[in-house]
Amino acid sequence: MSIGEPIGLTEKQCEGEARLRRLHPEGFAQLKRTIEAAWSQSDREVLELCRRRMAQLLSRRRDVEPIALTGGGVSLPAAKLAELPSWDSSSEFTDDEKAHLAICEQFVTSVREVGDLDVERLRQTRSESEIYAFASALYVLELSERSILALTRVGEST
Amino acid sequence: MFYDTPLDFEIEELARVAMRAQEVDPLLTEVVRLRCAEYHDCRICSSLRIVDAVAEGLDEGMRAEIRNYETSDLDARLKVALRFVDAIIIEPESLGEDLAGEMRAHFTEAQIAEIAYDVVKWSFQKTLVCLRIEQPPWEGPAGLSFDESGETVITVA
């Protein structure tokens, strides 16, 4: 997947978030609680790397901000952020981070093609319950991002 | 759920909230669910049929049409919903004004929000597919329904 010009969509993305909050308040509140639980059970720096990489892949843009709703208040080093689009060949990332990012990319582009070897790489440093929590956190953040983007783009009736 | 963690609990509650919502009819809900199941290659989800949708007319022929829905005999409303589902699960940025207009023509704002939320709910299957732990423990299709709290009830024939 190619990454194009930088763009910031935060203001537009807020429209989809506001739309879900207004039209499905119980669902929005539950989505927020689920996102908070995802952060509470994750390696927060790794999850933030994945959240930002997911937003890049979904927008096909390098400098896009993920939607605010999925944020966990984690700051990453600028050098790491700059190299995130090319994490696979970068020395800024540890083997563990690369193993997580590899799963993250496959999760976004075609989850059916996540391979046993991809998961095996995570097992070098993570327990089965940690791997399950990571895959669950990816789901929560990615589907939140996808649905809010779609609700932003579908717009309001006139 | 597998580890009974707070995250597992919240994901289960997210599913219950989705199934308590009533803006969208069971047939549309099922078509959306089956499209997510097929695209993500979830075996357990593909083995289930929402009982209320079957009562509303969903049959195996209709289910098969979801794969190539654009050239199918499915009605226009279902095709528009499936395009919206595909936009979410494949490439949200591809959702253009044409599809946005079709969605607004066929569905209320609340229904659109509910369909989007349902896609989030059904796509939990991505976690299971990622780890390949979605093999159904039964053979053949099983019935899927929900109690008043939104809790899942699976009926194996």
Side-chain angles (χ1 to χ4, degrees):
Chain A
M1 189 175 279
S2 64
I3 301 292
E5 292 300 308
I7 192 169
L9 286 176
T10 305
E11 192 175 321
K12 284 286 288 178
Q13 288 166 352
C14 286
E15 293 176 18
E17 193 176 319
R19 193 160 293 133
L20 185 63
R21 184 189 298 119
R22 178 169 58 82
L23 297 168
H24 201 331
E26 188 184 11
F28 180 80
Q30 181 56 39
L31 198 57
K32 279 191 71 173
R33 284 192 289 272
T34 311
I35 290 166
E36 287 165 7
W39 281 104
S40 75
Q41 281 185 236
S42 300
D43 179 324
R44 296 168 62 81
E45 187 162 324
V46 166
L47 192 58
E48 178 66 2
L49 284 171
C50 292
R51 184 176 84 103
R52 290 186 170 275
R53 186 61 186 144
M54 285 192 287
Q56 291 173 345
L57 293 169
L58 290 174
S59 67
R60 297 192 179 211
R61 291 181 170 89
R62 180 182 290 266
D63 290 344
V64 69
E65 280 292 316
I67 61 170
L69 179 66
T70 59
V74 178
S75 296
L76 296 173
K80 218 165 212 175
L81 284 179
E83 300 219 3
L84 187 55
S86 52
W87 60 267
D88 197 22
S89 58
S90 170
S91 59
E92 287 289 329
F93 300 88
T94 65
D95 288 345
D96 181 56
E97 288 167 340
K98 288 182 177 182
H100 284 83
L101 283 163
I103 295 264
C104 169
E105 286 206 349
Q106 203 61 64
F107 195 96
V108 171
T109 55
S110 181
V111 71
R112 62 168 68 200
E113 292 174 48
V114 173
D116 292 344
L117 286 178
D118 295 318
V119 179
E120 198 57 46
R121 283 177 68 193
L122 285 186
R123 292 197 176 103
Q124 304 301 313
T125 54
R126 306 288 175 166
S127 68
E128 292 300 321
S129 62
E130 287 173 325
I131 292 169
Y132 182 77
F134 172 65
S136 298
L138 282 183
Y139 148 69
V140 173
L141 300 194
E142 191 220 9
L143 265 297
S144 299
E145 184 93 19
R146 286 179 178 276
S147 63
I148 295 298
L149 284 175
L151 286 173
T152 297
R153 298 185 73 91
V154 87
E156 294 195 48
S157 302
T158 53
Chain B
M1 210 50 84
F2 294 90
Y3 293 99
D4 284 331
T5 65
L7 176 56
D8 295 338
F9 172 81
E10 297 299 349
I11 289 172
E12 286 189 330
E13 185 56 24
L14 187 152
R16 286 190 285 267
V17 168
M19 291 303 96
R20 286 199 298 268
Q22 299 289 329
E23 294 288 338
V24 175
D25 61 84
L27 182 60
L28 179 56
T29 298
E30 178 66 334
V31 168
V32 168
R33 188 188 71 82
L34 287 168
R35 180 62 182 166
C36 292
E38 179 181 65
Y39 184 76
H40 294 137
D41 192 29
C42 180
R43 292 169 292 179
I44 194 166
C45 306
S46 296
S47 77
L48 297 168
R49 305 287 181 273
I50 292 182
V51 173
D52 289 347
V54 173
E56 285 192 3
L58 180 97
D59 57 25
E60 290 307 298
M62 197 172 171
R63 176 181 172 273
E65 286 190 304
I66 294 170
R67 179 186 296 263
N68 298 306
Y69 64 87
E70 287 292 6
T71 56
S72 74
D73 292 328
L74 294 175
D75 71 37
R77 182 171 170 271
L78 293 178
K79 287 184 181 180
V80 169
L82 286 167
R83 287 180 202 128
F84 183 60
V85 172
D86 277 2
I88 297 174
I89 63 178
I90 299 173
E91 193 170 9
E93 291 285 344
S94 71
L95 203 163
E97 185 48 42
D98 287 353
L99 177 54
E102 288 180 327
M103 284 298 290
R104 294 194 298 265
H106 285 274
F107 300 101
T108 66
E109 281 191 273
Q111 287 173 326
I112 294 170
E114 187 170 312
I115 294 168
Y117 193 77
D118 281 355
V119 172
V120 176
K121 180 261 187 283
W122 299 126
S123 295
F124 172 66
Q125 61 202 204
K126 292 188 76 169
T127 296
L128 307 180
V129 171
C130 176
L131 303 175
R132 278 298 174 200
I133 50 175
E134 31 58 85
Q135 176 73 41
W138 49 78
E139 290 187 16
L144 176 62
S145 56
F146 306 92
D147 67 17
E148 286 184 358
S149 72
E151 193 69 56
T152 297
V153 178
I154 293 176
T155 309
V156 180

